[in-house]
Amino acid sequence: ANGTTADVADFTMGIKQSGAVLSGYGVPLDDTLTMMGLLANAGLKGSDAGTSLKTMFMSLAAPTDRAATLLNELGVAVYDNNGVMRSSEDIMGNLRSSLGALSAADRNAAMKDIFGTDGMRAANILMEATAQEWTDLNEQINAEGNASGMAAARMSGLAGALEGLSGSVDTFLLSSAQPFMESLAGWVDQISAAIDWFGTLDPQLRTMAL
């Protein structure tokens, strides 16, 4: 999420729509996330990205007769000699080079015949992404320590201490204080009111009190 314009919720919705289908075709999770990131950077995010990606792969895996003929004429191989689906980047790169010699009208017609209007959205974006863009984003996704590094930065200093205290309070309330929630809620309201009042005091008086 940090390497794209999408957030975690966008990836969650995208995976809900496409994850099972792509997994069934043997697409690794990091490749799925890379494609979702590329789509997000081009403005296609969330469930829309997942649906379009799913449709694109279904069109590749089981093409219509017309689509199969076009793929064959264009020299685009979806599967390798062992019947295993090639990597997404290789298939899109194959399409990019094969369609490069066509006019814009012929190219768009071929894409529509192969992918349909929905799958075509994702295919166009992924096909136009450069090999370097695929590599850079995939490396970010696979980089270890990103999440822990962010957590360490967030949990440093006073802000981190308060965050830790808040987590401890949440855990305590969930595990031990359920029977006393109403009383605790009243106390918390009173404390909040007192803090608000304290904030209205003259700064010098507030400093002396602290």
Side-chain angles (χ1 to χ4, degrees):
N2 289 331
T4 71
T5 62
D7 57 27
V8 173
D10 290 325
F11 283 101
T12 301
M13 295 304 296
I15 291 173
K16 282 180 66 176
Q17 293 297 326
S18 65
V21 170
L22 270 64
S23 176
Y25 294 144
V27 180
L29 179 59
D30 61 328
D31 283 1
T32 299
L33 295 174
T34 297
M35 287 186 284
M36 287 185 182
L38 291 170
L39 295 177
N41 289 343
L44 186 59
K45 302 179 183 180
S47 60
D48 282 347
T51 300
S52 187
L53 196 60
K54 174 182 67 177
T55 303
M56 186 192 89
F57 269 88
M58 291 174 68
S59 299
L60 287 171
T64 63
D65 291 342
R66 172 62 177 159
T69 299
L70 277 170
L71 288 169
N72 185 57
E73 290 175 352
L74 291 168
V76 177
V78 177
Y79 295 94
D80 63 20
N81 293 332
N82 297 317
V84 177
M85 183 174 281
R86 298 170 64 204
S87 75
S88 313
E89 183 181 356
D90 285 346
I91 295 172
M92 291 297 108
N94 199 168
L95 268 171
R96 186 191 312 117
S97 60
S98 298
L99 292 170
L102 299 181
S103 67
D106 288 342
R107 175 184 176 279
N108 291 335
M111 291 291 285
K112 185 175 183 296
D113 285 339
I114 294 171
F115 297 107
T117 54
D118 196 16
M120 183 178 172
R121 295 188 299 164
N124 270 327
I125 294 169
L126 297 176
M127 190 178 66
E128 293 301 323
T130 66
Q132 192 61 51
E133 288 174 323
W134 282 80
T135 299
D136 290 346
L137 188 50
N138 191 267
E139 287 178 352
Q140 287 187 60
I141 289 170
N142 282 295
E144 295 183 6
N146 283 349
S148 59
M150 285 183 60
R154 181 179 177 184
M155 294 302 288
S156 63
L158 177 60
L162 291 173
E163 182 77 17
L165 174 61
S166 174
S168 297
V169 171
D170 288 344
T171 301
F172 167 72
L173 291 176
L174 290 172
S175 62
S176 306
Q178 194 67 40
F180 314 105
M181 281 299 189
E182 291 189 10
S183 297
L184 286 171
W187 297 345
V188 170
D189 287 341
Q190 292 179 37
I191 293 171
S192 296
I195 291 174
D196 290 340
W197 170 80
F198 191 74
T200 65
L201 295 178
D202 179 86
Q204 289 186 340
L205 179 59
R206 196 167 59 226
T207 301
M208 290 175 59
L210 288 171

